[in-house]
Each structure stands twice: as structure tokens, then as C-alpha cells.
Amino acid sequence: MKMKLYCSPTSPYARKVRVVARELGLADLIEEVMIDPHTASGNFLDTNPLSKVPTLVTDKGQVLPDSKLIVEYLQTRGRGLTSLPRGAARWGILRQQWLAEGLIDTAVGCQMEKRRPAALQSADMIERQLAAIRRTLDALESEAGGLLTTETVRTAEISVGVALGYLDLRQPQLQWRSRREGLAHWYLSFALRPSMQATQPPAT
Ligand SMILES: N[C@@H](CCC(=O)N[C@@H](CS)C(=O)NCC(=O)O)C(=O)O
């Protein structure tokens, strides 16, 4: 039985898992099922009562309802990612990964706010989130030299790459590349990886 990955074509959390699956050579073992978690019903809600994508059902029928959990699980099933060093360097790389994860959370938060009826949206809230995104991009830019462009990468690069791709999709007006040459240069080659190309979100 194949594993089943519930995802949506635009979710950055789902894309992260889909990229990891491909980098680990596990894509053939996983059936990707595209759903809209905002309108999902029936089977999916029984599978994940949180109604969020990504959700993985393993080949043993276990349900994993969160991208970080799924990435951890997939790493026990395949090889193809560079493992993290030990010691101080480990925390530097994880810091970059967590900044990127925060970037995704904040950009998705912005998107959720924009989904509300116009009269209920808070311009202050959106501006506060955009300011956090700009600051976080600046922090990632200052450490962009540490991002790998090697044949195999780490989960940190995948989180950073997916976060930047999501900004292209949802916040193009931010022009994140402007004055962030290090990140922009790194992303040019990262975005060409087959795992990234195969998971590009549709143009909206
Ligand atoms: N912490 C979760 C977040 C997943 C998440 O929020 N996914 C969004 C799509 S980008 C979703 O399913 N939203 C549906 C909803 O909140 O009802 C993860 O890392 O997987």
C-alpha cells in the first residue's frame, strides 16, 4: 500500500513535505491527494480533525498531521538529505530553518487575514506581519552564505527555498530579492532543483 499525502497545490507546508519526499527518493511510494482543507469534509476530517494539509497516512495506516512531523518520519524512510553537523554549527543551521518556518507561518497568517471579508480585515495586523517578514528576510540574507548549493541539501535549505517560493506566490509586491542579493543568488539555483520544479504552485 502506498502512503497517502493529503496536500494542496499552494500550501507551503505541503510543498516542504513534497520536496523532502522527492529529495529522499520516496516520491514513488507516496500518492499525493490534492484537497482544499478549507472546504474538506467526510473522509479527510475523520483522518485529520484539524483539517490541515499536509496530512500523511503511512503504509501502516498511521496518520501524521503536521509538516514537521511528516518530515521527521520521511527521514526515517529514505536517504538523500545532508545531515546536520554536531555542535555549535548545528544550532546556526537550525536557526536558519526556524526563521524560514516562521516566515512561512507569518506569510500564511497574512494570507488568512486577507481571506476574511474586507470589512473585518485589519490593515495594522497585515502591516505588522509584513514588517516581520521583511526583518526575517534581512536576517536570512545576512546568513545566506551558509546555505548549501550542493547536490544534496539539508531540511534548512528546503524550508528557506519553500518560504521564498511562497512569497513569490502570495507577496510578490514585497520584492524580496531587492537588496537581498545573497538570498536571490542562492534561490536562483535552488529553485531549479527537480524537487522544486515538480512542486511549483500554479500561478494564481
Ligand atoms: N503546523 C501545520 C500547519 C499546516 C497549515 O496550517 N496548513 C494550511 C494550508 S497552508 C491549512 O491546512 N489550513 C486549513 C485551515 O487552517 O483550516 C504544519 O506544519 O503542517
Side-chain angles (χ1 to χ4, degrees):
M1 183 175 97
K2 278 194 177 194
M3 294 183 258
K4 199 178 260 193
L5 180 66
Y6 291 96
C7 37
S8 79
T10 53
S11 165
Y13 302 105
R15 190 178 189 195
K16 204 173 54 175
V17 168
R18 296 169 70 209
V19 170
V20 165
R22 284 162 176 78
E23 296 288 341
L24 290 171
L26 297 173
D28 288 346
L29 303 182
I30 299 174
E31 178 194 355
E32 293 184 345
V33 181
M34 293 294 162
I35 61 159
D36 179 348
H38 297 279
T39 56
S41 58
N43 277 350
F44 180 64
L45 299 187
D46 291 339
T47 304
N48 182 356
L50 292 169
S51 191
K52 290 197 189 287
V53 290
T55 298
L56 182 77
V57 184
T58 71
D59 42 12
K60 294 202 165 55
Q62 288 178 308
V63 178
L64 304 179
D66 179 272
S67 63
K68 292 190 186 92
L69 185 60
I70 300 169
V71 166
E72 194 175 328
Y73 171 76
L74 292 181
Q75 285 182 278
T76 68
R77 298 288 308 262
R79 288 171 186 275
L81 289 174
T82 300
S83 43
L84 297 180
R86 293 177 187 277
R90 177 184 192 87
W91 304 108
I93 292 155
L94 284 175
R95 175 191 134 77
Q96 281 176 303
Q97 178 165 339
W98 254 248
L99 283 176
E101 296 287 340
L103 208 49
I104 292 173
D105 291 341
T106 311
V108 168
C110 244
Q111 194 59 26
M112 290 302 101
E113 185 67 18
K114 285 187 190 166
R115 281 178 72 109
R116 281 152 48 94
L120 297 179
Q121 287 177 25
S122 160
D124 282 355
M125 167 76 98
I126 292 175
E127 192 36 57
R128 192 167 181 278
Q129 287 173 325
L130 291 178
I133 290 173
R134 287 192 205 93
R135 286 192 303 271
T136 307
L137 283 166
D138 290 341
L140 287 171
E141 169 67 13
S142 69
E143 299 173 14
L147 293 170
L148 297 181
T149 51
T150 39
E151 196 180 321
T152 63
V153 291
R154 302 164 298 204
T155 48
E157 278 79 22
I158 294 172
S159 295
V160 174
V162 167
L164 296 176
Y166 189 65
L167 292 181
D168 278 341
L169 178 74
R170 296 298 196 203
Q171 304 290 346
Q173 84 295 344
L174 266 182
Q175 300 191 351
W176 65 262
R177 290 170 182 78
S178 169
R179 297 189 319 282
R180 299 191 188 96
E181 288 84 5
L183 270 186
H185 180 73
W186 172 80
Y187 185 69
L188 263 184
S189 61
F190 188 81
L192 290 177
R193 296 180 78 80
S195 59
M196 288 291 283
Q197 292 284 311
T199 57
Q200 266 181 359
T204 49

